[in-house]
Amino acid sequence: NEKQERFIHHIYSSGKHLLHLINNLLDLAKIEAGRFSLVYEEFRLSSAIEEAVSVVEPLAKKKELSVSYKVDEAIGTVTADKVKFKQILYNLLSNAVKFTPERGAISLDACLLTGQECEAYGINSSQKLMRISVKDTGIGISPEDMDKIFDEFEQADSSFTRRHEGTGIGLSLTKKLVELHGGLIWAESAAGEGSTFSFI
C-alpha cells in the first residue's frame, strides 16, 4: 500500500546513500595506502556524460533545475578509467544540484584544449587534453571557504550547507581521482553568484 511504498522508498534511498558513502571512504583509504589503480580504456565522451547526467536528472527535477551539456565535436573518444571518470562527473554534477536553489540551472561544457591554453595552465604535454567545466547558479563559495573545499571532511560553513547532508569527502575524492589521471582541478566562485568547477 501507499504507506509501505513510502517506507520502502526511504529505506532504498538511504541504502543507496550509505553505499555511496562507504564506496567513497574505501576509495579514499585505497588512494592513501597507495593501493588504488586505474583501469584505462577508450570510450565515447558524450555517452559517459549522458550517463552521468541521467543519474542526477531525477534529483534536479525535484528542484526544477535545468541541466544541459555541450561537447566539443572535436572530442570523440577519450582514454581514462571509465568508472572513475563517471564518478568525477557525477560528484561534480550532484554537488551542483545540492547547492543550487529551486529553478536554477546547471551546465556542463567539454572542450579540447589548444596548445596555447595548455601553456597558460602550465601544462607541457604532447597528448591531446580536454577541459570539462560544471557551472551552476547556486549559492557560491566565499573566498575563505575556497581554500578548504578540496580538503577531506571539510565543507563550506554556511547555513545552506548545514541544511544539506554531506561528509566533505566528495570533492576531496574527486580531486584525487583527477590527479591520479594526471589532471588538474580547480573552482571559480563568488558567494551568491554560483560556482564553476573545472578539470583537465
Side-chain angles (χ1 to χ4, degrees):
N1 60 37
E2 195 181 325
K3 188 179 179 183
Q4 290 169 322
E5 195 175 341
R6 196 167 68 249
F7 288 161
I8 289 168
H9 174 73
H10 288 322
I11 293 165
Y12 178 67
S13 59
S14 297
K16 271 175 68 177
H17 174 69
L18 281 173
L19 181 63
H20 181 66
L21 175 62
I22 291 164
N23 284 335
N24 277 350
L25 284 167
L26 287 172
D27 283 346
L28 266 179
K30 279 191 263 183
I31 291 168
E32 295 295 339
R35 294 185 179 177
F36 191 92
S37 56
L38 299 174
V39 181
Y40 284 94
E41 61 180 293
E42 197 174 320
F43 56 90
R44 286 196 64 77
L45 176 65
S46 55
S47 65
I49 289 173
E50 279 169 20
E51 285 175 45
V53 168
S54 70
V55 173
V56 299
E57 268 180 340
L59 303 170
K61 274 181 183 170
K62 280 184 185 175
K63 295 174 76 175
E64 297 179 58
L65 304 176
S66 69
V67 181
S68 62
Y69 62 91
K70 188 173 72 177
V71 180
D72 189 336
E73 288 180 3
I75 308 172
T77 59
V78 294
T79 303
D81 183 313
K82 189 178 180 181
V83 172
K84 298 307 173 191
F85 181 78
K86 285 195 293 183
Q87 189 175 352
I88 292 166
L89 295 178
Y90 171 74
N91 283 356
L92 293 179
L93 287 166
S94 62
N95 221 48
V97 169
K98 187 195 288 188
F99 295 109
T100 301
E102 282 75 8
R103 292 179 288 284
I106 295 160
S107 61
L108 183 150
D109 182 65
C111 65
L112 207 58
L113 286 183
T114 64
Q116 213 170 4
E117 285 173 314
C118 286
E119 280 177 33
Y121 288 118
I123 301 167
N124 183 16
S125 176
S126 57
Q127 295 175 309
K128 285 184 178 177
L129 300 171
M130 65 176 175
R131 180 182 62 234
I132 293 182
S133 298
V134 175
K135 186 177 184 179
D136 64 56
T137 58
I139 60 170
I141 306 161
S142 66
E144 57 269 25
D145 286 328
M146 200 65 135
D147 295 334
K148 62 184 182 184
I149 55 169
F150 290 111
D151 293 346
E152 288 171 28
F153 307 109
E154 287 282 359
Q155 287 184 292
D157 187 20
S158 75
S159 57
F160 193 93
T161 305
R162 292 185 184 281
R163 290 204 304 270
H164 290 73
E165 58 189 26
T167 56
I169 59 172
L171 285 176
S172 172
L173 177 60
T174 300
K175 183 175 189 281
K176 283 179 165 56
L177 291 176
V178 168
E179 289 173 348
L180 280 169
H181 279 88
L184 299 170
I185 186 167
W186 67 95
E188 297 162 281
S189 183
E193 293 179 21
S195 307
T196 303
F197 283 83
S198 304
F199 69 94
I200 295 173

